[in-house]
Amino acid sequence: MYRTVPSLPLAPSMKVKLINAGFQVASVLTDMRPLQLCKEAGISQEEAVEVLQVLRDDGRPHQQRAATESLTALDLLHQEQAPGSIVTFCSALDDALGGSVPVGKTTEICGAPDVGKTHLCMQLAVDVQIPVCFGGLGGKALYIDTEGSFLHCTLLAEDTEQRQALEELTVEKILSNLFLVRCHDYVELLAEVYLLPCFLSEHPEVQLVVIDSIAFPFRHDFEDLSQRTRLLNGLAQQLIQLATQHSLAVVLTNQMTTRVSNGQSKLVPALGESWGHAATQRLILHWEGLRRLASLYKSPSQMEATIQYQITVQGFRDAPDEPRTTPDSSAVSSPSGNHSKHPRMEDLS
Amino acid sequence: MVILREGVCPGINEEFIKALQSEDIKTGVALVAVRRVLLAQYTAFPVSGADLYEELLSSTAILSTGNPSLDKLLDSGLYTGEITELAGSPGSGKSQVCFSVAVNISHQLKQTVFYIDTKGGMCANRLLQMLQSKTPNMEEQMEALQKIKVLRVFDVFSLLACLQNLRSNGLQKASVGGGSVKALMVDSVSAVLSSMLGGKQNEGMSLLMQVAGELKMIAKDFNIAVLVTNHVTKDGNGHLKAGLGQSWSHAPRTRVLLQRIEGAETSSLRTATLTKSSRQACHLVEGFDLCHWSEERRTSISGKRKLEERSKP
């Protein structure tokens, strides 16, 4: 492997010293002892040891493999066709997503308040635990809560009514397979994501990571917007790396903001234009009158689609009528519900 | 004949003379000869224009993208030895265009393609879908899929490691296997570089130039067409322009801006605008449909004329 010194993951000041000492290629450095390097490059002994450590890590089989071994698209296809998926129990949405929330990719769910983002996330956190014999992944979920909206454990309990036939899946078991982390600001969130590789190696059965929401800590008290963009880009790359290396699905929720252009205002996903490039797939949940619609806005493998869904006592489900975007054919039930901001369709319990 | 002694000219001291004498260099003529050899080793040879042209004709290949409108925009396709850039806002179809081009090169032209994915957007199922629309033969589909090699890197140092490895032995290994490598795609360059640029970081520019340098060297030395994708930002007047700034803008030879068509009937229609080219007039616009890649659109637009409605097949 031919590596030049400027391309190594070392501090810039270190690289300047090494280049000034005449080291252009990494291969010259690998055979050196720390004392030798220390004398020739004019750096301290600790720094020399650090440089050689980085070189050794770089040349390690695992790192080398990531950079050198390529999969053919055929191998990737076999990987993608592996069994198990995280369904949402709303068949129209599953169809639009291409079967399920994809593993190995990041999915972003944007929406206005109380359109069902947290609900969908909680549903997914339960659905990932569906045993393999029933077509699920049989895995655990990590839920990173930044808004403090993970309060409704009762909602999870109601989901199990669907699975009464499965005696093994009790409420306690479902809740015990869910890891909950509460982050209060963006520093805690960044630290948590930074520590995730360790956590995931200790808990390899985690197959879903939900961050609800990623917008909240970054929208308040952030003066330097360009720093915010950089941090978000870095975060997005770390998340996709986790998703790919540990084969898990990453779901992020985002809020909406208003963009005013040409005297018109439009609701667009928050966190800026460049954040739009970050997630692999983007799902926008929005209201149209009293109906809830989900639009797949960006996906590498699926066409754009808009489907209707509803939130019932049991959770995220298909809307009762045909999913059409014309406003006349919607069926609206009487609004009820004490803690919701918009009418929710409820079965009479 | 001048015998080398201490003090003959500045820079020649005792140690130096001893070192030269151990290599059997005792006279000034010998030193001048050594200097000539060094110069010859490190200077580039001048080549006549005619020879360069001949070499270019024999070594450059033009890879068709499979889409007639895009080919027209790119002056028949992707040129080997050059970097072509696709820029667009999220969802504008950059990755889809990359997939379509990769599928065309691996299936139609039967060449190997390297795809460096930095965003996790590579979806083999989608590639299979595209191949299935081109040929019903399973064997051909599998063969084409095997010609597309995917590398997944998520930060700039891994990208540099990957590119340097490709340059040193990866590409040769792949072409020995069977089928020459004719294209390299990086989707996307901005995902790994944008977090390193700006603020108090002083390394971003250097890394950007290193990536540009590696890509150019790979394109030139191995006669490969390099296709990269980039994000967009808004300039002072609110118009879209490709990201990563002025320094990066010199790396690609041809730059295309992809946009959705507002209020179009089908959501898969896109326009491609040529923003930088050394062969065609800039600001040419072509429309195309992501779903019907190999079909020509009946009308092409230029300037601000609206697209005519395409009749359903």
Side-chain angles (χ1 to χ4, degrees):
Chain A
M1 201 128 113
Y2 174 84
R3 293 281 267 134
T4 56
V5 164
S7 68
L8 291 174
L10 294 168
S13 49
M14 184 64 51
K15 285 197 255 192
V16 167
K17 288 193 193 147
L18 289 173
I19 294 172
N20 284 339
F23 297 106
Q24 291 285 349
V25 184
S27 50
V28 177
L29 284 170
T30 43
D31 299 326
M32 295 197 80
R33 318 251 14 179
L35 222 55
Q36 237 181 326
L37 183 59
C38 176
K39 246 189 285 185
E40 296 216 13
I43 53 180
S44 75
Q45 191 149 12
E46 292 92 28
E47 291 172 333
V49 168
E50 203 189 299
V51 167
L52 291 170
Q53 182 65 40
V54 165
L55 276 168
R56 225 167 299 144
D57 287 342
D58 207 49
R60 241 181 3 189
H62 168 73
Q63 296 281 70
Q64 281 235 335
R65 212 177 316 131
T68 63
E69 263 179 36
S70 56
L71 301 167
T72 62
L74 194 58
D75 300 331
L76 256 190
L77 188 67
H78 292 317
Q79 269 182 18
E80 284 176 21
Q81 286 172 343
S85 52
I86 312 177
V87 290
T88 62
F89 273 98
C90 171
S91 57
L93 186 57
D94 285 336
D95 283 338
L97 288 174
S100 67
V101 172
V103 163
K105 308 221 187 294
T106 48
T107 306
E108 186 189 347
I109 304 176
C110 317
D114 201 53
V115 72
K117 307 187 294 291
T118 306
H119 227 112
L120 181 56
C121 291
M122 288 197 282
Q123 175 117 24
L124 291 172
V126 176
D127 293 342
V128 73
Q129 299 175 35
I130 297 174
V132 178
C133 52
F134 286 101
L137 284 180
K140 302 193 180 176
L142 171 67
Y143 199 103
I144 302 179
D145 183 13
T146 60
E147 285 179 339
S149 50
F150 194 89
L151 303 165
H152 313 289
C153 294
T154 47
L155 277 165
L156 291 175
E158 280 151 14
D159 268 3
T160 63
E161 289 176 74
Q162 286 279 318
R163 289 177 274 278
Q164 265 168 358
L166 313 173
E167 275 112 52
E168 315 94 69
L169 226 56
T170 62
V171 179
E172 288 78 36
K173 186 142 194 297
I174 290 184
L175 291 176
S176 67
N177 282 340
L178 191 55
F179 298 101
L180 178 62
V181 177
R182 176 87 174 90
C183 292
H184 298 89
D185 59 23
Y186 78 95
V187 179
E188 286 186 30
L189 179 62
L190 287 173
E192 181 61 36
V193 173
Y194 192 74
L195 292 173
L196 268 183
C198 288
F199 177 83
L200 291 171
S201 356
E202 287 166 25
H203 298 92
E205 63 282 353
V206 171
Q207 306 258 268
L208 173 69
V209 173
V210 179
I211 302 184
D212 179 20
S213 67
I214 201 161
F216 186 74
F218 284 99
R219 289 184 81 186
H220 299 261
D221 305 327
F222 225 109
E223 300 94 26
D224 189 354
L225 285 183
S226 62
Q227 188 197 25
R228 184 180 87 167
T229 311
R230 280 197 302 279
L231 287 176
L232 283 171
N233 286 338
L235 191 62
Q237 287 304 112
Q238 273 180 301
L239 288 172
I240 184 68
Q241 185 166 20
L242 287 173
T244 318
Q245 282 176 353
H246 298 264
S247 313
L248 39 90
V250 176
V251 175
L252 314 166
T253 51
N254 194 2
Q255 297 167 347
M256 301 293 264
T257 182
T258 315
R259 189 199 307 173
V260 182
S261 60
N262 306 332
Q264 287 181 324
S265 70
K266 209 167 72 150
L267 269 186
V268 294
L271 297 181
E273 288 265 351
S274 51
W275 176 251
H277 294 273
T280 319
Q281 241 182 5
R282 190 176 239 188
L283 193 64
I284 301 188
L285 307 179
H286 54 111
W287 289 95
E288 196 174 283
L290 285 167
R291 301 185 314 146
R292 298 169 192 259
L293 298 174
S295 304
L296 185 67
Y297 187 76
K298 174 184 159 185
S299 168
S301 55
Q302 302 303 312
M303 275 217 59
E304 295 177 13
T306 304
I307 58 102
Q308 194 185 352
Y309 65 95
Q310 62 169 332
I311 306 218
T312 65
V313 159
Q314 286 123 6
F316 220 79
R317 295 292 182 268
D318 276 307
D321 51 312
E322 283 281 300
R324 286 255 178 278
T325 48
T326 52
D328 4 289
S329 56
S330 56
V332 179
S333 70
S334 54
S336 60
N338 35 15
H339 54 267
S340 58
K341 299 169 210 139
H342 281 276
R344 223 170 253 196
M345 306 214 224
E346 278 189 3
D347 285 5
L348 299 168
S349 44
Chain B
M1 224 180 1
V2 182
I3 306 282
L4 290 172
R5 272 194 320 275
E6 198 180 324
V8 150
C9 82
I12 298 193
N13 54 17
E14 186 73 44
E15 240 179 73
F16 193 59
I17 300 232
K18 284 219 182 78
L20 285 177
Q21 277 177 349
S22 65
E23 295 294 324
D24 217 21
I25 297 174
K26 297 198 177 77
T27 63
V29 174
L31 198 58
V32 167
V34 167
R35 182 166 170 269
R36 271 208 211 109
V37 167
L38 282 175
L39 281 175
Q41 256 192 342
Y42 286 98
T43 50
F45 270 120
V47 182
S48 83
D51 290 339
L52 258 185
Y53 184 61
E54 285 299 322
E55 201 197 306
L56 208 65
L57 278 184
S58 58
S59 60
T60 313
I62 308 180
L63 304 168
S64 162
T65 58
N67 179 318
S69 315
L70 206 56
D71 278 347
K72 216 191 307 178
L73 203 70
L74 295 172
D75 194 22
S76 355
L78 297 172
Y79 279 63
T80 58
E82 289 181 9
I83 304 180
T84 310
E85 181 195 82
L86 287 174
S89 31
S92 57
K94 309 184 288 292
S95 301
Q96 295 299 313
V97 172
C98 288
F99 291 169
S100 308
V101 175
V103 156
N104 190 63
I105 296 178
S106 71
H107 176 250
Q108 215 71 31
L109 307 174
K110 309 241 185 302
Q111 306 288 341
T112 309
V113 181
F114 267 92
Y115 195 104
I116 301 182
D117 180 24
T118 65
K119 286 165 63 174
M122 162 51 87
C123 185
N125 267 309
R126 178 77 183 116
L127 292 176
L128 184 65
Q129 231 175 33
M130 290 177 169
L131 278 168
Q132 279 165 347
S133 67
K134 281 181 182 257
T135 165
N137 183 343
M138 267 262 291
E139 279 273 329
E140 275 184 39
Q141 290 165 8
M142 296 300 130
E143 225 184 273
L145 280 180
Q146 277 186 315
K147 286 199 161 30
I148 303 179
K149 305 213 191 284
V150 179
L151 286 151
R152 289 191 283 198
V153 288
F154 301 105
D155 65 285
V156 65
F157 298 108
S158 313
L159 176 63
L160 281 168
C162 181
L163 290 174
Q164 283 170 349
N165 179 64
L166 280 178
R167 198 153 65 91
S168 54
N169 49 22
L171 288 169
Q172 273 136 347
K173 254 194 254 174
S175 32
V176 157
S180 51
V181 184
K182 273 295 167 212
L184 170 69
M185 304 192 178
V186 184
D187 178 21
S188 74
V189 159
S190 52
V192 291
L193 280 173
S194 51
S195 54
M196 305 294 289
L197 296 168
K200 297 209 186 73
Q201 297 171 106
N202 42 16
E203 216 192 356
M205 291 302 296
S206 149
L207 292 168
L208 187 149
M209 298 319 290
Q210 283 181 61
V211 171
E214 290 292 334
L215 287 172
K216 275 203 219 168
M217 282 195 274
I218 290 178
K220 268 268 164 313
D221 293 343
F222 296 95
N223 283 320
I224 284 181
V226 176
L227 181 64
V228 301
T229 58
N230 196 357
H231 67 282
V232 286
T233 51
K234 290 229 162 90
D235 67 9
N237 303 325
H239 296 134
L240 286 179
K241 64 169 186 182
L244 292 180
Q246 288 270 17
S247 315
W248 175 259
S249 68
H250 299 287
R253 183 73 72 85
T254 313
R255 303 179 100 184
V256 175
L257 182 69
L258 291 176
Q259 280 167 298
R260 287 169 177 251
I261 301 178
E262 294 292 326
E265 204 182 77
T266 36
S267 59
S268 55
L269 293 177
R270 299 288 186 270
T271 55
T273 312
L274 194 63
T275 50
K276 175 183 173 187
S277 169
S278 46
R279 282 180 289 268
Q280 308 235 70
C282 277
H283 308 298
L284 280 180
V285 187
E286 289 284 335
F288 60 95
D289 192 338
L290 284 176
C291 287
H292 302 101
W293 188 249
S294 327
E295 292 163 28
E296 175 138 21
R297 281 201 65 86
R298 219 94 58 55
T299 56
S300 62
I301 58 173
S302 59
K304 300 222 176 7
R305 263 188 290 135
K306 285 220 165 93
L307 269 173
E308 287 174 25
E309 284 271 287
R310 189 189 155 86
S311 57
K312 295 276 174 274

